[in-house]
Amino acid sequence: MTHDHDLVLRPTEAQISAALNPPTRRPATTPQGGASRRVMTGRNGGDLVVETLAALGTTTVFGLPGQHALGMFDALRRSDLRYIGLRVENNAGFAADAYGRITGEAAPLLLSTGPGALTSLAALQEAAAASAPVLAISSQIPTAGLGGGRHGYLHELPDQAASFRGVVKSVHTVRTQSQIPSAIEAAWKSALTAPHGPVWVEIPHDVLLAKTSIPVVTGGDAFPDELPPRPELTAVAADLLSKAARPAIIAGGGVVRSDASGKLRRLAERVQAPVVTTPGGKGAFPWKHPLSLQSWIEDRYTTDFLEDADVLLVVGSGLGEVSSNYHTFKPRGRVVQIEADLGKLESNHPALGIHADARLALQALLETVEERTDASAPERVRAVLAKVSERIAAQELTLEQDVLASVRRALPADSPSFWDMTILAYWAWSAFDAKSPNLLHSAQGAGGLGYGFPAALGAAAADPTRPVLAVSGDGGALYSIAELATARQYDLPVTWLIVDDGGYGILREYMTDAFGEATATELTRPDYVALAESFGVPGVRTSPETLETDLAKALAAPGPSVVVLPAVLRMFAPTHLGSD
């Protein structure tokens, strides 16, 4: 991980001058209407928060103000930080999640106490499941009310931090102003140390508002700790791969997050190991490479192939539900697992477990593994992909395949896409060529609705030079429709494709398959085109035949846009239930 700022060990003359001559607030004014109000002057605890973030290299923050957090938000106007305000805290969390995925930096998320904080929980769960670095900073009730005494403060919880301990990577509590810079710095490093993840900082209301005499924060150690592999373990792994007869590789999201796709490709080519990527690992290996099994990890033909490997290298994946074809995967050979999250190491299958960052572990393997030749490997890959293709073709799913192909052709090769939990996204997990690492993201980590559009807004804030695609069903779209106002306010280049099938499509399928009919899956929904236009966002209703043209046109236009596709899509038949 690189940073565009240096570790400050000794203050410069300019920094000393800034600390001794801090900025002052604008002159006090009387609000229009005549009623005199007390206007605070001077720096306060909120300034320490904002100054610490700036010193760590932050340029953009996300959030939503609330009464207890106003000290932080007021301090923003005295800083150079860019603020992106969303309409719902959960959506602000999704935006910060995507910003962190795209930039690799910890994305600050500023929240208020109680309801504001709790509304972000689903987004933080997704960030935790996907290892996205989010630095959530929340206010707390005044210090006098802490300790669960039930004083009746607005937004009071007996133990607010307890609601987050089972979700985030680490919790950092602040009780005095002098603790603010160190607590935020520690949280920042925690978020960016592999495995990445969301962290939680909470600061009492009165601590944020009180005047401070602490000098301006001008520096900090923003460099996360590295997680190298144990050399004796990589030596054994390299020996196993060198001597394998049928090696194979599963590449997960850890490869993408550690920017290790180039090392993965070189290792696969050196030992002639076919590679399949998980949904989180999309783009980690070239889609059309002779050794690419693509992403058909939910297919029985792929599962059988992986089970037959005598040495299976799993990089950056815990082999969870989806990545193990719903726990039907039963490897017969030796498994080597490289995983930065210690809790996921050997959590599903016995393995030679290597607790390490994927990039560092793959580099160690490249330094010691011996080259092997296997002319049959590409042919075996082609045979598996042909069987998968035949299975899908037999299910008469031309509409779904055509829609996905139209999206791929319309989307520029270097544009990121963010997919909600919808049938077209499930197709994308297996059948969409991401083109490059870190371009396709979805909510498959925690599986909550509403991720696609606000996450795309966060990605556009990170890099407004290229268009971003969001894909939602109509059910998921209703979770984040308010963010059309955010897209318009900041003029973010996001095109939102809404596949409107009149309900929760995948749940409709699940219930019909399980019970013979669906219940509670049908939705009354708005005219999405008219709704988008009411926000000042251009909208168009398309069809499967015109989707490619309409989507490409929307993506090429500046600012936000909405494309609505009325269509009922179907999923391909699962293979983990015992039938092909």
Side-chain angles (χ1 to χ4, degrees):
M1 189 72 62
T2 59
H3 298 267
D4 58 2
H5 52 282
D6 296 322
L7 172 61
V8 178
L9 297 177
R10 180 178 299 169
T12 64
E13 291 185 8
Q15 290 166 339
I16 294 173
S17 175
L20 295 176
N21 300 280
T24 59
R25 292 177 179 261
R26 295 172 182 173
T29 59
T30 300
Q32 189 172 7
S36 177
R37 294 183 181 178
R38 181 172 60 90
V39 178
M40 299 179 64
T41 59
R43 291 168 61 249
N44 59 24
D47 287 275
L48 296 175
V49 173
V50 170
E51 291 163 6
T52 303
L53 291 175
L56 290 169
T58 294
T59 59
T60 303
V61 300
F62 299 87
L64 198 156
Q67 179 177 331
H68 288 164
L70 294 182
M72 289 190 292
F73 285 85
D74 181 60
L76 285 174
R77 67 184 173 91
R78 292 184 295 282
S79 78
D80 292 327
L81 299 184
R82 177 179 59 157
Y83 169 66
I84 304 292
L86 287 92
R87 290 352 187 225
V88 183
E89 287 89 351
N90 197 49
N91 295 335
F94 285 143
D97 166 306
Y99 188 95
R101 296 192 199 196
I102 292 295
T103 64
E105 297 293 337
L109 171 64
L110 306 185
L111 302 168
S112 192
T113 322
L118 296 177
T119 303
S120 72
L121 272 169
L124 295 177
Q125 184 189 8
E126 176 57 40
S131 295
V134 175
L135 174 57
I137 304 176
S138 166
S139 58
Q140 245 291 21
I141 60 174
T143 307
L146 298 177
R150 305 298 295 273
H151 298 281
Y153 284 100
L154 183 70
H155 307 327
E156 181 178 322
L157 290 166
D159 185 357
Q160 178 175 278
S163 299
F164 295 86
R165 287 194 182 96
V167 176
V168 300
K169 186 178 177 184
S170 59
V171 171
H172 307 259
T173 58
V174 169
R175 294 295 177 262
T176 66
Q177 289 185 343
S178 62
Q179 296 172 1
I180 289 175
S182 294
I184 293 177
E185 180 181 305
W188 176 283
K189 292 181 69 173
S190 175
L192 289 174
T193 296
H196 294 172
V199 295
W200 182 258
V201 180
E202 60 177 31
I203 309 171
H205 174 50
D206 54 323
V207 174
L208 288 171
L209 286 183
K211 291 183 180 181
T212 184
S213 59
I214 296 174
V216 173
V217 182
T218 57
D221 179 2
F223 296 95
D225 298 329
E226 289 198 328
L227 186 60
R230 297 181 65 87
E232 67 273 17
L233 297 179
T234 54
V236 173
D239 184 64
L240 289 171
L241 288 168
S242 301
K243 297 176 179 177
R246 298 178 310 281
I249 299 174
I250 297 176
V255 177
V256 175
R257 289 187 292 274
S258 64
D259 194 22
S261 58
K263 296 182 187 301
L264 172 69
R265 178 174 181 169
R266 290 196 293 276
L267 180 65
E269 291 173 344
R270 187 170 298 179
V271 299
Q272 286 297 290
V275 179
V276 63
T277 58
T278 71
K282 296 288 290 188
F285 196 73
W287 190 257
K288 297 185 183 299
H289 192 284
L291 293 173
S292 177
L293 288 163
Q294 301 177 358
S295 299
W296 288 99
I297 202 158
E298 291 185 58
D299 188 277
R300 191 67 231 174
Y301 292 120
T302 303
T303 306
D304 291 343
F305 184 92
L306 296 172
E307 287 179 346
D308 186 56
D310 60 340
V311 177
L312 178 66
L313 176 63
V314 182
V315 190
S317 171
L319 291 181
E321 187 174 47
V322 175
S323 301
S324 63
N325 201 357
Y326 299 91
H327 296 299
T328 62
F329 172 56
K330 307 295 181 185
R332 295 189 295 272
R334 188 73 181 271
V335 177
V336 177
Q337 184 184 18
I338 298 169
E339 175 57 56
D341 188 334
L342 187 60
K344 293 180 180 178
L345 202 61
E346 295 190 75
S347 61
N348 285 303
H349 297 280
L352 174 65
I354 302 176
H355 182 218
D357 176 79
R359 177 178 54 84
L360 300 177
L362 288 172
Q363 178 60 40
L365 291 177
L366 283 169
E367 291 171 358
T368 52
V369 75
E370 296 178 9
E371 187 171 356
R372 62 179 296 277
T373 58
D374 184 359
S376 70
E379 179 55 38
R380 290 187 287 121
V381 167
R382 286 192 294 270
V384 172
L385 294 178
K387 290 178 181 178
V388 173
S389 180
E390 290 170 7
R391 183 178 75 83
I392 299 299
Q395 298 175 42
E396 299 181 358
L397 296 166
T398 303
L399 171 62
E400 290 75 11
Q401 291 174 294
D402 287 349
V403 167
L404 195 65
S406 293
V407 174
R408 179 61 278 174
R409 290 192 298 267
L411 183 66
D414 63 345
S415 283
S417 58
F418 291 82
W419 304 66
D420 215 329
M421 297 298 287
T422 186
I423 287 177
L424 193 60
Y426 297 169
W427 272 92
W429 292 355
S430 295
F432 194 82
D433 178 5
K435 298 295 184 183
S436 296
N438 206 30
L439 288 183
L440 188 148
H441 300 276
S442 73
Q444 60 89 206
L449 279 173
Y451 174 81
F453 187 53
L457 297 178
D463 182 3
T465 66
R466 52 183 176 170
V468 182
L469 174 67
V471 180
S472 299
D474 54 299
L478 290 171
Y479 273 66
S480 48
I481 205 74
E483 303 310 337
L484 284 169
T486 303
R488 182 73 286 164
Q489 179 172 348
Y490 298 100
D491 201 31
L492 296 170
V494 175
T495 293
W496 193 6
L497 172 61
I498 301 175
V499 182
D500 185 359
D501 66 359
Y504 300 117
I506 191 64
L507 298 179
R508 181 190 291 143
E509 283 202 12
Y510 288 162
M511 293 193 77
T512 301
D513 289 346
F515 309 113
E517 60 181 301
T519 303
T521 60
E522 306 314 299
L523 298 173
T524 297
R525 69 273 195 202
D527 180 337
Y528 287 102
V529 171
L531 183 58
E533 291 174 344
S534 74
F535 283 92
V537 175
V540 62
R541 185 170 287 100
T542 190
S543 67
E545 294 75 23
T546 60
L547 174 60
E548 180 182 347
T549 299
D550 290 337
L551 193 58
K553 182 178 179 181
L555 285 162
S561 57
V562 172
V563 177
V564 181
L565 173 65
V568 178
L569 305 180
R570 296 187 297 132
M571 272 299 295
F572 50 82
T575 64
H576 64 278
L577 302 177
S579 60
D580 289 348

